[in-house]
């Protein structure tokens, strides 16, 4: 087990949300603790609005935290503008490649400008460097002279990944990098992230709203619901032994992965509650088929399962996570 490269320690990110004519604070990330380890691909999964991008943006310094701490490679980070040398080490890949590419300039022009600002590559080596990165993302070097809109969606996302790699970062934060792509090109981009990790040793914080995408890519996965991490485990363990009813419901919505899950659990039903009006106790209880009175009265904490191994902890935030019988269909705990 390697040391963390990125560590969120009990972080809360708050925004003001409009409610009628007034504004009220919401916690888009609510006391989140997680770490991405050196050289690891760590997956974060959850429905729309669960707070995934909030954490991604926090990692690259685009969001501020209200409490807790953020540690990168052993250094405690403050809110506010980060020094250039630090920004260089944590790079983001967005869902929409245009978020990081200028449609009016050729890729070569854009890359050269970035290299000029950062100065880490000597001027006479910059062309060769761009060509090397293009080869790493499996694009023909001839495309360096194209503009982003002259490319296919998959090529454009590879260019956005190349842009993120240009300054040899230690951590890539990929926020739903395949969600906007045709299904036919998604697998190729997911494969590319796997290659980049093994070739370059880069650590990857990989966000998806679908568990199927992370299954063959990530070493560990966390599941997020309404600002909270509700379950975290190694990917194999999470798929083989999901303990939070929300994770089980997400898995059940991809039944080909868990053939027998249909017997017990329905896909997550209903809409998530608003962050402005969270249920008391467990915030998943309004959609949970197993919710009891205890769930209404007492908020569960994210704890290691009794069966959890010390080297690869399996954490879940459910009062009944250690009690598999609950998932046998009974609505109340014994
Ligand atoms: N800058 C902001 N100002 C106010 N509210 C915000 C801001 N950014 C995010 N939020 C709110 O925080 C919550 C979490 O949003 P976030 O974008 O992190 O979710 P997400 O999991 O990335 O969703 P999606 O899958 O749709 O991308 C949402 O309720 C959102 O409206
Ligand atoms: Mg998002």
């Amino acid at each position: 087990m390697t040391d963390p490269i990125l560590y969120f320690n009990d972080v809360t990110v708050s925004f003001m949300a409009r409610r009628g004519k007034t504004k009220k604070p919401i916690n888009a990330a609510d006391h989140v603790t997680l770490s991405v380890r050196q050289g690891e691909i760590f997956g974060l999964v959850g429905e729309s609005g669960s707070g995934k991008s909030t954490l991604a943006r926090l990692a690259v310094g685009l969001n501020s935290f209200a409490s807790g701490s953020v540690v990168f490679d052993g250094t405690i980070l403050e809110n506010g503008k980060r020094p250039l040398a630090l920004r260089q080490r944590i790079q983001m890949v967005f869902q929409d490649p245009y978020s990081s590419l200028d449609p009016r300039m050729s890729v070569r022009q854009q890359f050269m400008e970035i290299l000029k600002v950062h100065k880490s590559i000597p001027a006479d080596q910059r062309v060769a460097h761009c060509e090397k990165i293009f080869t790493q993302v499996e694009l023909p070097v001839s495309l360096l002279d194209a503009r982003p809109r002259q490319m296919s969606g998959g090529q454009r996302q590879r260019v956005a990944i190349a842009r993120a790699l240009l300054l040899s970062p230690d951590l890539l934060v990929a926020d739903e990098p395949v969600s906007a792509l045709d299904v036919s090109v998604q697998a190729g981009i997911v494969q590319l992230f796997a290659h980049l990790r093994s070739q370059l040793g880069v650590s990857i914080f990989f966000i998806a709203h679908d568990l199927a995408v992370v299954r063959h890519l990530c070493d560990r996965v966390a599941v997020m619901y309404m600002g909270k991490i509700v379950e975290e485990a190694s990917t194999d363990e999470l798929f083989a032994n999901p303990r939070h009813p929300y994770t089980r419901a997400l898995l059940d919505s991809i039944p080909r992965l868990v053939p027998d899950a249909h017997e017990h659990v329905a896909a997550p039903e209903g809409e998530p509650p608003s962050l402005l009006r969270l249920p008391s106790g467990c915030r998943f209880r309004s959609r949970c088929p197993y919710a009891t009175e205890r769930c209404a009265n007492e908020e569960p904490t994210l704890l290691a399962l009794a069966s959890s191994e010390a080297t690869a902890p399996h954490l879940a935030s459910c009062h009944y996570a250690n009690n598999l019988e609950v998932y046998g269909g009974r609505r109340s705990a014994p």
Side-chain angles (χ1 to χ4, degrees):
M1 199 159 66
T2 55
D3 289 336
I5 181 130
L6 176 71
Y7 176 39
F8 292 143
N9 179 18
D10 200 26
V11 286
T12 294
V13 178
S14 302
F15 297 114
M16 295 304 287
R18 195 169 287 283
R19 186 181 193 179
K21 287 187 180 149
T22 56
K23 283 190 165 182
K24 270 191 70 177
I26 54 160
N27 290 341
D30 196 343
H31 295 278
V32 168
T33 294
L34 63 80
S35 59
V36 180
R37 297 185 189 135
Q38 304 266 5
E40 163 179 70
I41 307 184
F42 183 90
L44 180 65
V45 171
E47 286 168 299
S48 185
S50 55
K52 305 178 301 294
S53 296
T54 298
L55 291 180
R57 292 169 60 83
L58 180 64
V60 294
L62 292 170
N63 277 342
S64 298
F65 51 94
S67 64
S69 57
V70 177
V71 182
F72 176 72
D73 200 15
T75 303
I76 297 176
L77 305 186
E78 307 290 340
N79 285 324
K81 197 166 160 58
R82 295 180 178 174
L84 201 62
L86 174 61
R87 292 211 301 273
Q88 180 171 336
R89 297 185 65 195
I90 313 175
Q91 293 285 323
M92 184 137 167
V93 177
F94 297 88
Q95 181 174 331
D96 172 11
Y98 281 121
S99 303
S100 54
L101 301 175
D102 185 337
R104 293 162 307 177
M105 289 159 70
S106 76
V107 175
R108 185 189 298 275
Q109 285 167 327
Q110 297 181 51
F111 284 14
M112 288 309 225
E113 252 180 37
I114 295 166
L115 293 173
K116 221 187 273 176
V117 172
H118 283 265
K119 298 192 185 78
S120 50
I121 309 282
D124 62 345
Q125 292 170 27
R126 286 178 192 155
V127 171
H129 183 70
C130 292
E131 291 178 355
K132 185 183 85 184
I133 303 281
F134 248 49
T135 310
Q136 281 168 350
V137 299
E138 298 154 16
L139 280 179
V141 168
S142 58
L143 270 187
L144 266 171
D145 290 307
R147 288 170 194 222
R149 66 182 144 75
Q150 295 170 308
M151 301 171 185
S152 70
Q155 287 174 332
R156 215 160 24 236
Q157 191 56 296
R158 283 176 194 266
V159 172
I161 296 166
R163 188 204 175 283
L165 291 173
L166 208 51
L167 302 165
S168 310
D170 299 302
L171 175 66
L172 277 185
V173 178
D175 189 1
E176 301 212 35
V178 300
S179 300
L181 299 175
D182 282 355
V183 174
S184 58
V185 294
Q186 285 187 358
I189 301 287
V190 170
Q191 269 293 316
L192 175 63
F193 279 101
H195 285 160
L196 293 173
R197 186 266 294 269
S198 51
Q199 278 172 14
L200 309 175
V202 64
S203 314
I204 304 177
F205 185 23
F206 188 97
I207 292 167
H209 61 250
D210 178 349
L211 272 167
V213 173
V214 300
R215 178 159 206 196
H216 299 293
L217 178 68
C218 297
D219 302 296
R220 291 187 301 139
V221 177
V223 178
M224 194 168 189
Y225 184 74
M226 303 302 290
K228 291 264 191 204
I229 303 298
V230 296
E231 185 155 10
E232 182 192 304
S234 70
T235 310
D236 289 346
E237 167 72 7
L238 190 93
F239 277 78
N241 189 20
R243 292 301 185 99
H244 196 287
Y246 180 58
T247 312
R248 297 173 77 90
L250 286 180
L251 280 169
D252 197 47
S253 61
I254 36 171
R256 68 204 139 83
L257 293 174
V258 188
D260 61 346
H262 261 311
E263 287 172 28
H264 304 306
V265 193
E269 281 178 11
E271 291 293 308
S274 161
L275 283 171
L276 286 163
R277 287 178 298 276
L278 284 174
S280 65
C282 174
R283 58 192 65 194
F284 185 58
R285 78 175 166 88
S286 56
R287 298 169 76 195
C288 182
Y290 314 109
T292 66
E293 222 178 299
R294 183 179 175 196
C295 307
N297 296 329
E298 200 186 315
E299 184 165 18
T301 40
L302 188 64
L303 294 173
L305 296 181
S307 59
S308 179
E309 289 173 24
T311 49
H314 184 163
L315 313 174
S317 167
C318 171
H319 295 308
Y320 306 111
N322 282 308
N323 189 347
L324 273 178
E325 286 168 37
V326 170
Y327 304 127
R330 284 215 295 275
R331 281 187 166 260
S332 52

